[in-house]
Amino acid sequence: MNRFLLRRFGGALFVLVALTVVVYAIFYVAPGNVAQIACGPRCSPAQVAQLSDKLHLGDPVYVQYAHFVQGIFAGRDYSGGTGTIHCGAPCLGISYQGDQQVTQLILAKLPATASLIVGAFVLWMLLGVGTGLLSVWRRGRPTERILTALTLAGMSTPVFVIGLLLIIVFCSTLQWLPFPDYVPFTQDPAEWGWNLLLPWVSLAVISAAPYARMTRASMLETLADDHVRTFRAYGVSERSLVWRHALRGALAPIIALAALDVGMMFGGAVLTESLFGIPGVGRQLVEAVKTVDLPVVVGLVLVTGFFVVLANAVADVLHAMADRRVVLS
Amino acid sequence: MSEALLVQEAGAATTAAPASGASPFWQRLRTQRAVLVAAVVVALLVLIALGAPLLAAIEGQDPTTYHPKLVDSATGGVPLGSFGGISAEHWLGVEPLTGRDLFARVAYGARVSLGVALAATVAQVVIGVAVGLSAGLGNRYVDQALSRITDVMVALPVMVIALGVLTVVPASVPRPVLIAGVIGLVGWAGISKIVRAQTLSLKSRDHVAAARLSGWGGVQIARRELLPALAAPVITYSVLLFPADIVVEAALSFLGVGIKPPTPSWGQMLSDADTWYQAAPTYLLIPAALLFVTVFALTVLGEGVRTALDPRAASRLPIGTSRKKSGKKSGKKKEAGA
């Protein structure tokens, strides 16, 4: 097990290093005047030249990359016209639109994103696993067909379509809910939940489908196994078979998928956040893209990649803990 | 066109693989009623996309002409008439503010949606199969290197990278090509993993070993012995990639970084409609409904192809699915299962 852990996290570390190279290559070595892009459309040629100097854009690519990596692990100093700015590790650069450090910027956005994910996660697990369970339990009946159709429909609905419709129905037509406006949990927990209700539901509805399918598929697989047939022959009740034996078999893949999804969402809830105006990581990315704030974009891509790699590794380990055969292969 | 292509490919795949045979595939596909309905819907959408100029000409409109007289300037540009200005001249009404014909824009939008997604899917499949095959057939070092690259690609979320790349690339590069390219270049890791795993297991089969012993090269083995056997899993996966790519394009356009006006796109219309839904609800509902129907129909079709191609799923599902024999088949209809 220890060797497996070591190998898995060693692999994750390698992927992260490679990720910095890829991201760096895409965004800094790409054709075009990087200083001009990073500085923004309103910068004068003198400012662009100054920035180019500050970013060490005259240096060879590998030196630039070394500085970039150095910033992440040890911090770096930016010496500009207004004096030196120290950017402590992990330094992802400085936003040239807001003159803010990218690391601080992202950290400030994480609570809102985490709020969104936590609530949605609880809902989609209940919804997904519940749907899967119900369709196994009622298998072969109309309920199962309806659930199957609903699951496919959930898979096919883009989050911005369902979110828009929910806003129109509940905020505009029925006026049961306020137009979503993010309130931090520390400020007012009740308002926090009330305002996040629609985003949670939207995200949960579109995320639940794979869980429903996976729960159903692996439970059916277990129910078809020889040992379950033996149990059945011994007179174990159908309810006990479904709950105690089949559900247990479905847990490992569900946990692994959940870890992956949560990791992805730290950077991937872009649409939900933009639609509902949640000031999280995803909306920051869209804003950075619109204002052509290159350092922020690079930082966000890296952080997202980090979460995905981390989630991948965690998912593998969880999977291995639930199913020892994984360690051997 | 996508549908025709898929079916054609699927047919070719099964004739090439004697184990499953062409007729069981068609039989299994035909017996799924929901899939037939989905196929008809997809075919209609493809026709609308291909025939957009013709349909707009029949209607007598085009997607870019402004009709300021059809919107009420006093209310800020709400279309005149009921249901967003639906009339004999404007089948689906007109766009708020500009008065552009909605039907023409929706039909041309179908071209963008389906075209970009098709190109992206083809790119994903080509790159994924090439990388997966090379990793599976190459020596230890090639496999290691390619597998690590695949791991990195898995960690790159398509939406995030696409948002980033769309910032950097100058506006002179046409957006549809760029979006398809980015999706293709970033999103091939899933297919490549499947192809590699399949290749590794196929490599130990007797017919591949026989081919190797008779002196065939890697390329020849890949083409003659491996690709036919790989067709089923690759098609299964790619028919589900296609609707996902439609959503990515719509999402990027919805965020305002994808397809740029005046080229119409469903995602872009949805994001414009966000501010108009109270005054002109049809402007929002039409692209929303189209997007949903398209993705839903393609997903159902994909699931159907998957069920028909995967004899294991088809034969296994009835076992233990139910103790009642009659219920099983109906339950399986729309479901790819396992």
Side-chain angles (χ1 to χ4, degrees), chain B residues 66-265:
Chain B
Y66 283 39
H67 301 284
K69 281 185 190 143
L70 293 174
V71 295
D72 185 3
S73 54
T75 55
V78 179
L80 294 167
S82 52
F83 300 111
I86 290 182
S87 64
E89 290 87 58
H90 297 279
W91 296 347
L92 293 178
V94 293
E95 194 179 55
L97 198 63
T98 60
R100 287 182 291 196
D101 182 68
L102 213 51
F103 175 78
R105 290 190 73 70
V106 161
Y108 275 89
R111 300 191 127 190
V112 173
S113 276
L114 297 177
V116 168
L118 181 67
T121 310
V122 169
Q124 280 170 308
V125 171
V126 169
I127 300 175
V129 169
V131 173
L133 263 180
S134 318
L137 285 177
N139 61 29
R140 208 152 59 95
Y141 300 104
V142 175
D143 184 24
Q144 274 292 320
L146 289 177
S147 295
R148 287 294 87 82
I149 293 174
T150 310
D151 283 348
V152 176
M153 299 315 288
V154 171
L156 292 175
V158 172
M159 276 294 294
V160 178
I161 292 291
L163 275 170
V165 170
L166 289 167
T167 327
V168 183
V169 177
S172 56
V173 181
R175 293 287 124 166
V177 178
L178 186 63
I179 293 170
V182 171
I183 299 176
L185 282 175
V186 179
W188 49 264
I191 279 209
S192 133
K193 284 195 153 190
I194 291 171
V195 169
R196 173 178 171 273
Q198 289 282 324
T199 307
L200 286 180
S201 90
L202 284 170
K203 228 163 64 165
S204 57
R205 299 270 176 85
D206 287 345
H207 65 99
V208 180
R212 191 193 312 273
L213 286 174
S214 51
W216 286 17
V219 176
Q220 209 174 358
I221 292 178
R223 211 185 62 222
R224 302 271 295 269
E225 301 293 334
L226 298 178
L227 279 182
L230 286 169
V234 168
I235 291 169
T236 300
Y237 194 80
S238 39
V239 286
L240 291 172
L241 273 179
F242 186 65
D245 288 346
I246 290 185
V247 174
V248 173
E249 182 275 312
L252 288 170
S253 302
F254 178 77
L255 291 173
V257 295
I259 307 294
K260 299 277 185 220
T263 310
S265 130

Side-chain angles (χ1 to χ4, degrees), chain A residues 14-15 18-19 22-23 26-27 30-31 37 136 139-141 144-145 148-149 152-153 155-158 160-161 164-165 167-168 172 179 213 216-217 220-221 223-224 232 238 264 267-268 270-271 274-275 285-286 288-290 292-294 297 300-301 304-305 308-309 312, chain B residues 33 148-149 151-157 159-161 163-168 170 240 247 250-252 254-257 267 270-271 274 277-278 284-285 288 291-292 295-296 299-300 303 306 316-317 319-324 327-328 330-338:
Chain A
F14 169 81
V15 171
L19 196 63
V22 173
V23 171
I26 293 177
F27 293 114
I37 296 174
V136 169
R139 58 191 182 276
R141 300 185 197 186
E144 193 202 8
R145 299 184 64 184
T148 305
L152 281 181
M155 270 173 76
S156 324
T157 318
F160 45 93
V161 169
L164 272 175
L165 293 180
I167 291 181
I168 292 173
S172 178
F179 280 90
R213 293 168 60 109
R216 177 178 174 278
L220 287 180
E221 203 169 332
L223 285 176
R232 194 174 278 149
E238 192 67 15
M264 277 279 183
V270 177
L271 287 164
S274 308
L275 180 65
L285 178 71
V286 177
V289 165
K290 283 188 176 157
V292 207
D293 198 342
L294 205 50
V297 175
L300 284 167
V301 171
T304 307
V308 175
V309 171
N312 250 315
Chain B
R33 239 180 318 159
R148 287 294 87 82
I149 293 174
D151 283 348
V152 176
M153 299 315 288
V154 171
L156 292 175
M159 276 294 294
V160 178
I161 292 291
L163 275 170
V165 170
L166 289 167
T167 327
V168 183
L240 291 172
V247 174
L252 288 170
F254 178 77
L255 291 173
V257 295
L270 273 176
S271 114
D274 195 3
Y277 61 83
Q278 273 171 320
L284 181 115
L285 291 176
L291 194 57
F292 172 73
V295 178
F296 192 37
T299 310
V300 171
E303 295 290 349
R306 177 159 140 181
R316 194 185 56 198
L317 259 181
I319 311 168
T321 324
S322 162
R323 281 162 299 167
K324 243 170 54 185
K328 285 176 256 172
S330 55
K332 201 183 63 168
K333 242 166 209 166
K334 290 178 217 159
E335 182 65 17

Side-chain angles (χ1 to χ4, degrees), chain A residues 158-177:
Chain A
V159 70
F160 45 93
V161 169
I162 200 157
L164 272 175
L165 293 180
L166 283 177
I167 291 181
I168 292 173
V169 172
F170 288 103
C171 306
S172 178
T173 312
L174 296 174
Q175 302 197 324
W176 287 355
L177 288 168

